Amino acid sequence: MGKQRITKIIFRQLRCFIQEAKPTPDLSILSKSLFWDTDINRIDWQRQCRAVIQRVFERGNENDKKEITRYYGVEKINKRWKSLRPDVHNTP
């Protein structure tokens, strides 16, 4: 393998590691009214991901949805959303 390919692989792995290390989404992007009933600083973003994803995709704006998708990743969003809304995803 060439140096350029190895460098790309390392940067890709580093980017994934940094994203996983972030303890919360960027709270400055999320609408304050979205989590009006809870202290947003006390949310366990990993344990409560289903509730967070549901709330954001049912009540959030496009910026909220983009930030949560960036934070959790498309694969996790799709998996959780399908489990929350089987009626929507099982229709032809």
Side-chain angles (χ1 to χ4, degrees):
M1 278 200 267
K3 285 184 180 181
Q4 199 171 29
R5 180 161 166 76
I6 293 172
T7 302
K8 285 182 180 180
I9 292 170
I10 290 171
F11 276 115
R12 194 174 317 134
Q13 290 175 341
L14 183 58
R15 188 179 320 123
C16 289
F17 174 75
I18 290 170
Q19 285 178 341
E20 289 175 7
K22 291 183 179 179
T24 66
D26 186 342
L27 301 181
S28 68
I29 294 174
L30 295 178
S31 301
K32 306 299 179 225
S33 61
L34 202 53
F35 297 99
W36 62 272
D37 59 342
T38 189
D39 180 354
I40 198 165
N41 295 309
R42 300 194 74 186
I43 294 173
D44 184 330
W45 297 93
Q46 295 309 311
R47 291 186 72 202
Q48 297 172 315
C49 69
R50 287 184 66 186
V52 169
I53 291 167
Q54 182 174 6
R55 184 172 292 202
V56 169
F57 279 84
E58 287 180 351
R59 302 178 185 165
N61 62 35
E62 286 305 309
N63 288 333
D64 298 328
K65 293 173 187 175
K66 285 179 186 177
E67 177 55 19
I68 288 300
T69 301
R70 184 203 60 77
Y71 177 71
Y72 287 120
V74 174
E75 186 175 323
K76 189 169 190 173
I77 295 288
N78 287 339
K79 180 180 176 184
R80 297 297 181 202
W81 188 244
K82 284 180 183 179
S83 71
L84 292 167
R85 305 290 306 264
D87 55 314
V88 173
H89 296 285
N90 290 333
T91 56

